[in-house]
Amino acid sequence: MGGLAAEKHIQYILTVEKRKDDFVSVVMEHLRMSGAYWGLTTLDLLEKLDTVDVDEVVSWVMNCQHESGGFGGNIGHDPHILYTLSAVQVLALFDKLNVLDIDKVTNYVAGLQNGDGSFSGDIWGEVDTRFSYIAICCLSILRCLNKINVEKAVSYIISCKNLDGGFGCTPGGESHAGQIFCCVAALSLTGSLHHIDKDLLGWWLCERQVKSGGLNGRPEKLPDVCYSWWVLSSLIMIDRVHWINKEKLVKYILDCQDLENGGISDRPDDAVDVYHTYFGVAGLSLLEYPGLKAIDPAYALPVNVVNRIFFGR
Amino acid sequence: MESDEVEEMRWVPLSKRPEWSDVTPVPQDDGPNPVVPIDYKPDFAETMDYFRAIYVADERSSRALNLTAEAISFNPGNYTVWYFRRLVLEALDIDLQVELDYIDNIAKNNSKNYQIWHHRRWVAEKLGTDAADKELEFTKKILSADAKHYHAWSHRQWVLLALGGWEDELDYCRELLEADIFNNSAWNQRYFVITRSPLLGGLEAMRESEVSYTVEAILAHPENESPWRYLRGLYKGNTQSWVNDHQVSLLCLRVLNAKSNFVFALSTLLDLLCHGLQPSQEAKDVVAALEMSGTDEPDSDLATSICFILEHVDPIRANYWRWRKSKLPHAT
């Protein structure tokens, strides 16, 4: 088994965004902002962010912002908390957070907090612990966590804790690795990890590793490369990552590469996409695979970017 | 298929439809030098150009409603189209039962789409408790194709809490578990029902019957992770009663005696010991019978022996089991 085909993945990302006549591009149009975050963060982890034109990206990102301060998934799309975080993360990658009217963005995000501490995705009111993480991560990057009621935000997240130690999307919702990542990261960013039974959750998380070495997101489900991020970063944040077999996971991720055309898929031999390429590379970074920049498990941004935000200048 | 049916189904460009002749389409603006220029298929492009015109003009008419349906058929993930559809539905005061039928149709091929579920919830919320039955039917249909569908379960839980309909839910869980005893979502829902249903007595009242049910499930498939966790959950807030309930330790011993698929039985026994269970001679004997050569250490206490065995029979989690061993209190 060869290693990480970094060059191939770089080429894959650079060309996929420019691809024409592509059905996938067409139906991904409305979430282009998240696609940009996945692609650009991967390039940065592979130390190739400089192949992209900063000004073009920044100008396009800012064109996606609305009067309300929120960002849409693409030009002409309504604002949503998902794309607001992606936009802020993309700007952070390029060290361009200074182009933002911080008050405008943070007021939009803070305005989405509900009375019970939960967050809605947008004005239409969908509630999900994903949005709790997104709000907290975004405000933390912009140093404005004080604009929300952190205590209530934390208590809402805790109300979504299940008996297996995991978290669901809403109270009573089944524990799912993606939701767990969101809750653990949100608690981490608000200094509230003491609410988690780390041993219990750590065990649930390490039980996600199946024979092939890959990780699933719930009991009795198939492994998927994206869980290399959700499960792994959660384990790192609660300091239990040594409970999984790292070598087997590395091998699983590498097996999911398309060595000919570049890109990474959910499972070996499936079709690749930017989403799984990002999570595969990010997972390898968490596993300290050589040649990759370190990534912060809570902010999901390269460590040097996070350091620049909090300690730079 | 008859040729005139084919004729009917052929898409007519909006520019050729007389009812749209007063509208000037608005092309996609990807910016001056688009970072991510996308080449659209002409029919999709034209539909979105007309949608943009309606959206910019804020036209909340029935032709606008139909146009959102056309746009959704090309790309059901486009949340801006869904938003506008809701605005139009409100403005036209459309019968929302009809809207539920519309969502039924497109959900068939797009059930993993967040927007559809959110839209469905918005409609159901407006209809109120009258919608409960229909919503339970709808999620049941989705779950019949994918019994672990996360959105469907999330929606179903919301329906029960907001609109009611708890009567048959425990039966429904039983049905799903009969079809697949490994369905973690169904176990989760079962817990949701016994703890939150206003029609049942609550966890304490349900505990005895639920323990029997769960023990049976475990004995059928001891390698099944979900019922072991469920069993533990039945004693929520009362660890002592879990430790003291002979059914739990006896269950572990029964599985261990069969000498197959015993990882969870061992880890449960380990947990019981860590919470103060005094091991019986039978327990010590049955664990001793499992030990492979090279894994036993003389004078190991029961918990330590269990950790050794687990390290070997569940090697992918060897580090976890070694950590468990390191945390065991050792008698001086």
Side-chain angles (χ1 to χ4, degrees):
Chain A
M1 174 79 247
L4 179 67
E7 264 315 307
K8 290 272 181 183
H9 301 318
I10 291 163
Q11 287 316 309
Y12 168 74
I13 291 171
L14 291 175
T15 55
V16 78
E17 298 287 280
K18 298 192 178 75
R19 195 178 294 161
K20 301 190 176 261
D21 277 334
D22 188 278
F23 178 70
V24 172
S25 307
V26 159
V27 299
M28 296 255 288
E29 178 259 331
H30 60 281
L31 52 72
R32 184 66 45 189
M33 191 62 73
S34 295
Y37 159 72
W38 298 323
L40 293 168
T41 309
T42 309
L43 288 177
D44 198 10
L45 292 174
L46 294 166
E47 315 246 32
K48 277 289 191 289
L49 193 62
D50 51 7
T51 54
V52 175
D53 185 324
V54 189
D55 295 327
E56 261 186 40
V57 175
V58 172
S59 132
W60 166 71
V61 167
M62 295 313 291
N63 273 327
C64 296
Q65 190 174 29
H66 284 254
E67 268 315 295
S68 60
F71 288 75
N74 204 341
I75 292 172
H77 279 276
D78 286 350
H80 195 285
I81 208 176
L82 286 168
Y83 308 116
T84 304
L85 174 64
S86 295
V88 167
Q89 287 171 315
V90 168
L91 292 174
L93 286 174
F94 290 109
D95 196 14
K96 289 285 184 187
L97 289 172
N98 55 358
V99 311
L100 285 171
D101 175 338
I102 304 285
D103 268 344
K104 200 165 157 180
V105 183
T106 53
N107 288 343
Y108 169 78
V109 174
L112 290 168
Q113 185 168 32
N114 300 308
D116 61 359
S118 68
F119 284 83
S120 297
D122 59 21
I123 54 170
W124 294 95
E126 183 192 0
V127 169
D128 187 324
T129 47
R130 285 183 298 144
F131 305 144
S132 300
Y133 164 66
I134 286 166
I136 287 168
C137 183
C138 191
L139 292 173
S140 178
I141 289 172
L142 299 175
R143 332 284 296 270
C144 290
L145 262 181
N146 57 326
K147 285 196 173 178
I148 56 165
N149 186 327
V150 175
E151 205 183 306
K152 280 200 147 172
V154 167
S155 73
Y156 179 77
I157 292 169
I158 302 304
S159 76
C160 298
K161 189 164 53 158
N162 295 317
L163 283 156
D164 47 23
F167 296 82
C169 58
T170 44
E174 187 185 1
S175 293
H176 180 289
Q179 309 291 153
I180 288 170
F181 162 77
C182 291
C183 294
V184 172
L187 294 174
S188 170
L189 294 175
T190 52
S192 317
L193 282 175
H194 54 276
H195 290 291
I196 290 177
D197 184 337
K198 295 180 185 175
D199 296 335
L200 181 59
L201 179 57
W203 179 48
W204 189 94
L205 288 167
C206 79
E207 283 287 344
R208 294 313 107 231
Q209 191 163 32
V210 299
K211 262 217 194 84
S212 64
L215 304 174
N216 62 24
R218 294 180 271 172
E220 297 294 326
K221 295 278 285 181
L222 293 175
D224 183 323
V225 150
C226 66
Y227 295 114
S228 312
W229 172 263
W230 310 123
V231 172
L232 208 52
S233 55
S234 302
L235 281 168
I236 288 179
M237 287 187 277
I238 60 171
D239 199 23
R240 301 284 187 271
V241 73
H242 45 290
W243 287 356
I244 58 147
N245 184 313
K246 291 185 184 178
E247 293 74 33
K248 289 195 107 178
L249 181 57
V250 167
K251 182 177 183 302
Y252 179 83
I253 299 172
L254 294 176
D255 280 346
C256 294
Q257 298 178 97
D258 179 339
L259 295 172
E260 219 179 285
N261 305 308
I264 297 176
S265 60
D266 58 354
R267 245 157 258 138
D269 303 324
D270 276 356
V272 303
D273 57 49
V274 176
Y275 172 90
H276 288 96
T277 304
Y278 162 67
F279 285 112
V281 172
L284 287 171
S285 168
L286 289 178
L287 292 163
E288 296 170 310
Y289 193 86
L292 297 174
K293 279 168 79 172
I295 188 166
D296 183 289
Y299 289 102
L301 285 168
V303 168
N304 73 296
V305 172
V306 175
N307 288 341
R308 192 168 59 202
I309 293 169
F310 291 99
F311 309 119
R313 310 256 143 88
Chain B
M1 192 184 276
E2 302 284 33
S3 59
D4 47 349
E5 283 173 63
V6 175
E7 200 69 47
E8 265 170 47
M9 284 173 58
R10 199 180 300 144
W11 182 81
V12 175
L14 285 134
S15 54
K16 299 245 182 348
R17 302 185 206 175
E19 68 272 23
W20 284 100
S21 55
D22 61 307
V23 172
T24 310
V26 174
Q28 169 76 5
D29 174 18
D30 277 324
N33 289 304
V35 177
V36 287
I38 301 166
D39 201 39
Y40 300 90
K41 291 146 47 120
D43 46 1
F44 176 64
E46 200 201 21
T47 306
M48 290 312 296
D49 291 349
Y50 275 82
F51 169 73
R52 239 167 260 117
I54 295 298
Y55 178 77
V56 163
D58 199 16
E59 181 190 313
R60 304 187 192 186
S61 63
S62 51
R63 72 176 179 178
L65 188 68
N66 294 335
L67 189 58
T68 59
E70 286 194 56
I72 284 165
S73 71
F74 280 109
N75 183 6
N78 191 321
Y79 64 98
T80 300
V81 176
W82 283 106
Y83 291 178
F84 194 70
R85 188 176 173 86
R86 287 193 274 279
L87 293 175
V88 177
L89 286 169
E90 279 184 320
L92 298 181
D93 201 22
I94 299 278
D95 176 4
L96 291 176
Q97 292 283 354
V98 176
E99 186 67 3
L100 286 183
D101 292 334
Y102 166 69
I103 303 170
D104 274 349
N105 272 322
I106 41 162
K108 283 192 194 111
N109 296 321
N110 295 289
S111 75
K112 293 274 159 96
N113 174 302
Y114 277 103
Q115 281 70 39
I116 290 176
W117 288 99
H118 178 50
H119 188 73
R120 181 109 198 166
R121 187 173 304 199
W122 179 82
V123 174
E125 209 159 17
K126 286 194 165 277
L127 287 169
T129 48
D130 287 341
D133 284 339
K134 208 161 180 176
E135 291 315 284
L136 293 176
E137 263 317 299
F138 175 71
T139 50
K140 204 172 195 175
K141 219 186 324 181
I142 302 287
L143 290 169
S144 66
D146 175 2
K148 303 180 187 183
H149 195 295
Y150 201 78
H151 294 302
W153 280 115
S154 173
H155 187 71
R156 198 172 174 90
Q157 287 191 343
W158 172 80
V159 171
L160 289 166
L161 288 171
L163 308 177
W166 294 92
E167 297 78 28
D168 302 319
E169 198 63 10
L170 192 59
D171 272 335
Y172 181 55
C173 291
R174 181 181 305 127
E175 219 179 278
L176 288 173
L177 288 171
E178 258 163 34
D180 178 11
I181 197 72
F182 292 87
N183 185 339
N184 191 64
S185 308
W187 282 103
N188 184 73
Q189 186 72 353
R190 198 176 175 102
Y191 197 78
F192 183 80
V193 173
I194 64 166
T195 50
R196 294 172 194 255
S197 170
L199 306 174
L200 301 170
L203 187 56
E204 295 267 353
M206 299 291 294
R207 183 177 293 154
E208 203 177 313
S209 54
E210 288 302 298
V211 168
S212 305
Y213 178 85
T214 311
V215 165
E216 214 181 293
I218 288 173
L219 288 172
H221 287 279
E223 73 278 25
N224 187 354
E225 188 178 341
S226 308
W228 287 101
R229 295 190 185 275
Y230 186 79
L231 183 63
R232 182 72 184 86
L234 291 173
Y235 298 86
K236 175 186 179 181
N238 203 339
T239 305
Q240 267 320 114
S241 61
W242 173 68
V243 175
N244 296 337
D245 189 340
H246 293 305
Q247 288 182 93
V248 182
S249 42
L250 282 174
L251 169 67
C252 295
L253 297 189
R254 272 185 78 172
V255 174
L256 292 169
N257 264 316
K259 293 195 180 160
S260 106
N261 294 317
F262 53 75
V263 172
F264 290 119
L266 271 182
S267 70
T268 301
L269 185 55
L270 178 63
D271 288 341
L272 289 166
L273 293 169
C274 290
H275 281 97
L277 176 76
Q278 292 307 305
S280 61
Q281 188 55 45
E282 193 197 340
K284 295 179 192 172
D285 292 341
V286 91
V287 170
L290 287 177
E291 280 179 285
M292 298 116 225
S293 57
T295 65
D296 56 333
E297 263 187 1
D299 303 327
S300 273
D301 66 10
L302 185 57
T304 307
S305 303
I306 290 175
C307 289
F308 266 120
I309 298 170
L310 283 167
E311 253 180 79
H312 286 88
V313 299
D314 191 22
I316 209 166
R317 274 166 281 277
N319 285 343
Y320 173 70
W321 300 119
R322 272 185 225 125
W323 176 83
R324 287 297 302 265
K325 190 168 64 185
S326 74
K327 287 284 173 235
L328 294 173
H330 288 285
T332 50

